[in-house]
Amino acid sequence: MTKCSEVLIFIFSLLISHTVLANEKTYRCEVLSDAYIKSNGELSLAKDSPRVGQEFAVVKRTGEVIGDVMDSLKNPKVLASGSKGNSYKVVWIQKSEGKNGAFVDYLSIEEFASGGKKPFGFFSGGLLMTGVCE
């Protein structure tokens, strides 16, 4: 693939992403903390995490995530659309290489929280990211 075609593909993908965000209800989210579960079961905040401060968007209808933080997640399943009493919930399930194994990622956005900023939690394996969405 030539450099010119790589640039054109990149520009086209940006335009498609912008169109999707413009036409659908989206959450715009910012990561405020990044933690992981230590081998003894305790939660430890990741110091100087490159994920803190990063932003991503979630297309509410489909659960699609746009942004570097969770860009590799494919085939989301929206479990709950969110309401005054329930969080917006999305899961991603991917098969692992081993027999009968699976990777499960989970995002919850507290739709019912008062104010414009809605807290979120994202759990993937032993990783936990938190922040706010608008």
Side-chain angles (χ1 to χ4, degrees):
M1 187 179 292
T2 67
K3 188 72 170 172
C4 182
S5 52
E6 288 177 359
V7 170
L8 288 173
I9 290 171
F10 176 73
I11 290 171
F12 182 71
S13 67
L14 286 177
L15 292 173
I16 288 174
S17 295
H18 179 70
T19 302
V20 167
L21 290 176
N23 292 332
E24 299 212 39
K25 166 83 170 111
T26 60
Y27 291 109
R28 295 186 183 275
C29 306
E30 180 183 5
V31 178
L32 298 178
S33 69
D34 185 7
Y36 61 94
I37 300 171
K38 297 190 305 186
S39 60
N40 66 1
E42 293 178 358
L43 189 63
S44 178
L45 285 176
K47 302 205 184 307
D48 301 320
S49 170
R51 289 185 279 264
V52 172
Q54 286 193 1
E55 296 181 350
F56 62 95
V58 181
V59 179
K60 189 172 180 179
R61 183 179 56 80
T62 65
E64 177 187 8
V65 174
I66 302 165
D68 291 341
V69 177
M70 296 180 276
D71 220 15
S72 62
L73 297 175
K74 305 294 182 225
N75 303 317
K77 180 173 180 160
V78 176
L79 298 179
S81 297
S83 66
K84 291 181 180 179
N86 198 1
S87 297
Y88 173 81
K89 298 175 182 96
V90 181
V91 295
W92 294 263
I93 301 173
Q94 302 170 61
K95 292 182 180 178
S96 69
E97 291 182 22
K99 186 176 181 180
N100 298 325
F103 296 109
V104 178
D105 299 298
Y106 172 73
L107 172 67
S108 177
I109 301 173
E110 294 183 7
E111 175 80 22
F112 56 84
S114 61
K117 296 191 183 233
K118 311 296 184 186
F120 80 83
F122 173 74
F123 193 72
S124 178
L127 167 73
L128 172 64
M129 288 189 301
T130 63
V132 291
C133 300
E134 295 184 73

